[in-house]
Amino acid sequence: MKLVSPAFLLYFPSASLGFNPPNLANPSRLQPLKMGWITDFYSDRSDDEEDQKKVLSDRYKKKVINDAVKEAGAMKQSTFEQEKKKWVIKKDGIFGFVPTKEMTGVEPHVTQLCATISNQLYGKKSFGDFKLSTKDNKAELLIYDNHGKFSEATPPFAAVVSDKTMILGWRGTNSLSDLLTDVAASPQSSFAWRKHAKTIKAQGPMSAIVQNDVVSHEAELIKEIKARGIKEIVTTGHSLGGSVAQIGHLTLRAQIQDEISPWHELQGVNVRSIAFSGPMSISLIDNASDETDAFAKDLNDNSCNMIFSNDVVPRSYGYLSFCEDFVENSVNDIVKGVPIPSLAKAMFDVRGKVEDLIENSQETEQLSGYLGYLSNYRHLGNQIYYEKEDSKPRVLEDMGAFYKNSNNRKDILRDIKYKKVKFPLEEFMDWHNTIVTGPGLSYPEDQLS
């Protein structure tokens, strides 16, 4: 168990950060289109979308957090040591079923290696600390970059090779700076995917993390990929790292296709992402050219994210009703003075500030705009859901907010509702951490060398 729990990513932007993103609540087309993958995605929206938005807005207008704090006197924050003692591994902590290649696109041992890298990035502090090989599958650490004097400002990055696969991993939230990155939900475009910038937006500060590491190490990475005959690049991470991995996938896939990029010489190398508990990091606008539509479909077909139980993080930022159900479930714990894990407390602090901001009609209108662009965030690819640690995983799809589901599909992520529990603040670390630190889908330490 690490000293600092990984990210409980916040699902609402802090006004103090000063971001003014565009309102994506009603994405509009920029040119006439044929039916395509993205257009098809937007084709089955609810007739009562505005009513649903109003219901969400009304929930945010309730002073849920401020009233609870007023009754309790103050929110009591737990120490990291208290958090560690509260978090109890259930049974042996090992998940009973590893996702199949049909679910993830990679062999099961690659999924486990990705989970192991995601786990070790929290606790390992130097190159020599990592142990990633098993008796059946060897893995070599090529790069470990903790960013030196900037280590408190940006999460560590690692590059690992196993056979003909290169895995690029990022650590989840472990510092105050990471938490600020989580809070800033502003969707942005990038030169990295310039051909698709009008259609594909990604969480801004997380995109900056990717671009920092890619540009810093691209010469060495490209050299190693060519020299070793790498066939596939897999991006991975847990929590914040999971979202960064998704954006890393977007970035590298676009760079390999960009004729003026040094990555273009790697044409034929596939890119995919294997994320664990990552929040939603991509926002799509229904204005795609044929080229961008095909690119987005390839991005979707090579992405997956693992989700455990009631974990709120992978439902952030876009599945707002799930997040609000957790907040309301936590009120009794707050009133009783139950110590709140630091990152959960940060989420409630932001929620309380939002309540303070919506006192007049102008701010209420701004709230509606925030909810609109947050709702536009979604997951790409297979969402591999575990109800319990020994449950068989289900493959679900995130069809975004306000999906009508006219065909009554049974594989929709947002049909999985939040389940109220007696002690939500004690359980959220288990929901979020178990999948890679339980050891969950990671290899147990005694199997590694």
Side-chain angles (χ1 to χ4, degrees):
M1 188 69 187
K2 49 202 163 293
L3 291 178
V4 183
S5 63
F8 188 85
L9 300 198
L10 307 187
Y11 59 94
F12 210 90
S14 169
S16 64
L17 295 177
F19 286 103
N20 290 299
N23 186 345
L24 301 180
N26 294 295
S28 60
R29 298 182 183 177
L30 300 183
Q31 56 187 5
L33 294 174
K34 301 179 296 184
M35 284 296 286
W37 183 80
I38 293 177
T39 299
D40 185 59
F41 166 77
Y42 279 112
S43 65
D44 193 19
R45 300 295 105 180
S46 296
D47 299 327
D48 62 347
E49 181 175 329
E50 292 305 315
D51 291 338
Q52 292 186 49
K53 288 179 182 177
K54 185 178 185 304
V55 169
L56 274 174
S57 181
D58 288 344
R59 291 185 73 175
Y60 277 84
K61 293 175 186 177
K62 297 177 182 177
K63 293 185 174 294
V64 175
I65 295 299
N66 285 340
D67 287 350
V69 171
K70 184 176 181 180
E71 187 171 346
M75 281 193 283
K76 182 179 180 182
Q77 181 174 322
S78 61
T79 66
F80 292 133
E81 289 302 316
Q82 288 173 327
E83 291 174 24
K84 287 165 60 179
K85 290 178 182 177
K86 284 182 180 180
W87 188 63
V88 179
I89 296 175
K90 298 176 181 178
K91 301 179 182 178
D92 60 4
I94 300 173
F95 276 31
F97 298 89
V98 179
T100 65
K101 184 176 181 178
E102 289 70 28
M103 295 176 176
T104 63
V106 300
E107 297 293 342
H109 73 85
V110 177
T111 297
Q112 289 190 273
L113 177 56
C114 287
T116 302
I117 293 167
S118 299
N119 181 21
Q120 292 194 20
L121 277 166
Y122 284 112
K124 307 305 182 185
K125 303 301 181 185
S126 66
F127 191 99
D129 290 343
F130 285 80
K131 295 181 179 180
L132 301 170
S133 295
T134 66
K135 64 181 180 65
D136 296 321
N137 297 285
K138 301 302 179 184
E140 178 185 356
L141 181 66
L142 296 181
I143 297 171
Y144 172 65
D145 186 355
N146 68 358
H147 303 104
K149 65 181 180 180
F150 300 111
S151 61
E152 292 301 314
T154 190
F157 166 77
V160 175
V161 168
S162 180
D163 195 23
K164 297 300 181 182
T165 299
M166 177 177 282
I167 301 171
L168 307 181
W170 285 270
R171 191 197 67 193
T173 295
N174 214 34
S175 70
L176 176 60
S177 292
D178 294 342
L179 182 59
L180 293 175
T181 296
D182 300 336
V183 173
S186 173
Q188 302 290 332
S189 296
S190 169
F191 284 108
W193 57 90
R194 69 181 75 217
K195 289 184 178 180
H196 317 294
K198 292 182 178 179
T199 299
I200 302 175
K201 311 290 181 181
Q203 204 268 17
M206 294 180 189
S207 300
I209 291 171
V210 171
Q211 292 173 44
N212 176 68
D213 289 320
V214 168
V215 74
S216 296
H217 298 287
E218 71 176 3
E220 182 177 1
L221 290 172
I222 292 171
K223 177 183 175 181
E224 292 289 346
I225 289 168
K226 292 169 65 178
R228 294 168 181 265
I230 296 298
K231 302 298 183 185
E232 184 163 73
I233 301 168
V234 177
T235 59
T236 195
H238 171 257
S239 193
L240 165 67
S243 268
V244 173
Q246 293 164 352
I247 300 171
H249 174 195
L250 163 63
T251 299
L252 294 179
R253 179 171 290 276
Q255 284 291 288
I256 289 173
Q257 295 180 14
D258 190 337
E259 295 85 354
I260 66 172
S261 168
W263 292 84
H264 187 60
E265 59 186 291
L266 299 181
Q267 288 184 88
V269 176
N270 188 45
V271 187
R272 70 171 63 251
S273 54
I274 307 289
F276 303 90
S277 309
M280 301 169 192
S281 58
I282 304 294
S283 183
L284 301 175
I285 302 174
D286 185 15
N287 62 3
S289 65
D290 288 345
E291 182 181 14
T292 293
D293 194 80
F295 176 86
K297 186 177 186 304
D298 286 343
L299 193 66
N300 181 78
D301 292 348
N302 288 275
S303 299
C304 71
N305 187 38
M306 320 286 172
I307 299 173
F308 179 60
S309 188
N310 254 354
D311 190 3
V312 180
V313 174
R315 277 77 174 202
S316 309
Y317 304 93
Y319 191 178
L320 296 173
S321 60
F322 191 102
C323 299
E324 277 297 285
D325 288 343
F326 168 76
V327 169
E328 292 175 3
N329 189 199
S330 302
V331 167
N332 286 339
D333 279 356
I334 297 172
V335 170
K336 292 175 183 177
V338 173
I340 304 170
S342 55
L343 296 176
K345 182 178 180 297
M347 185 190 81
F348 296 145
D349 284 341
V350 171
R351 180 62 166 78
K353 289 178 181 177
V354 171
E355 293 172 7
D356 290 337
L357 286 172
I358 54 177
E359 294 296 333
N360 60 52
S361 59
Q362 181 180 359
E363 288 156 351
T364 299
E365 184 177 345
Q366 186 180 33
L367 172 64
S368 178
Y370 282 149
L371 296 180
Y373 84 75
L374 288 175
S375 295
N376 209 60
Y377 274 106
R378 59 162 296 196
H379 284 299
L380 295 181
N382 288 345
Q383 304 307 299
I384 302 170
Y385 169 71
Y386 288 84
E387 183 177 5
K388 299 177 182 178
E389 73 174 33
D390 288 325
S391 299
K392 289 184 178 180
R394 294 176 57 193
V395 176
L396 306 175
E397 185 175 3
D398 182 13
M399 294 301 292
F402 316 119
Y403 178 58
K404 191 174 182 179
N405 198 7
S406 298
N407 295 324
N408 196 29
R409 291 175 53 181
K410 304 298 183 184
D411 62 343
I412 304 303
L413 173 65
R414 301 192 195 204
D415 285 346
I416 305 294
K417 306 302 182 185
Y418 179 82
K419 298 177 178 65
K420 289 184 66 174
V421 297
K422 190 172 183 179
F423 303 111
L425 296 183
E426 293 186 8
E427 291 200 38
F428 93 81
M429 290 183 67
D430 179 42
W431 296 331
H432 190 49
N433 290 3
T434 294
I435 205 158
V436 298
T437 65
L441 294 171
S442 301
Y443 285 113
E445 285 279 349
D446 60 8
Q447 295 183 17
L448 297 168
S449 61

